[in-house]
Amino acid sequence: NGESAFVLRGGGGAVRSEIRYDGVTEGLSLRLFGGAGTLRNEISLNADGSISINGQPLLTGGESVLADPGYQVFGNGLILQWLNAAAGRGVPVFAAFPMTFPNAVFGVVTGESNGDAVVTAVTASGVSLQGPAGAEAPNTSAFCLSIGY
């Protein structure tokens, strides 16, 4: 049937836990049993990248670009996006997200890549960053992590 299992037994030979691979669905599951040998909990890692606990979806696989800039779309519609972007000297400069958020942006968190860039605006399609003003001001950039759906 394409299945293989690694079984851990407790006192008296009762099955306590089991790691099972299903060759048909190519899924992997961890099954935890109670004292009477009844199944208490099952965590499944499915071939499509989804995770479920006791048959209920926890995390489903989705589209991603693992680069800079990049993004991850989760099965529930949540989207994480990231990019490194230059900031304007005393004026906002727009940096486009890798993809436009279809519904809303919850927010953007920045970390310094180089200098003191600040977020001046956030839209569904990108973020505006501004660095210090003046001819002597250094070129600045920031790493941006955005979350939305």
Side-chain angles (χ1 to χ4, degrees):
N1 65 3
E3 288 190 0
S4 57
F6 176 74
V7 178
L8 297 173
R9 297 185 182 276
V15 175
R16 302 301 287 162
S17 62
E18 168 184 277
I19 299 172
R20 179 174 298 278
Y21 172 76
D22 184 333
V24 175
T25 64
E26 297 183 347
L28 182 69
S29 62
L30 170 63
R31 301 172 76 187
L32 304 172
F33 296 88
T38 57
L39 181 63
R40 287 181 32 207
N41 292 300
E42 181 174 14
I43 301 169
S44 299
L45 308 173
N46 305 306
D48 65 0
S50 65
I51 300 171
S52 59
I53 297 178
N54 298 328
Q56 299 299 313
L58 175 67
L59 175 66
T60 56
E63 179 184 354
S64 66
V65 172
L66 301 177
D68 184 12
Y71 62 89
Q72 172 69 51
V73 179
F74 295 95
N76 63 0
L78 185 70
I79 302 169
L80 295 177
Q81 298 193 69
W82 53 90
L83 57 91
N84 276 293
R89 285 187 176 158
V91 295
V93 171
F94 184 78
F97 294 137
M99 64 181 287
T100 298
F101 285 100
N103 298 295
V105 181
F106 294 125
V108 174
V109 177
T110 62
E112 288 185 24
S113 289
N114 175 24
D116 295 320
V118 296
V119 174
T120 59
V122 177
T123 69
S125 60
V127 59
S128 292
L129 300 167
Q130 181 175 327
E136 300 296 318
N139 291 329
T140 59
S141 61
F143 173 78
C144 301
L145 177 64
S146 56
I147 185 169
Y149 71 104

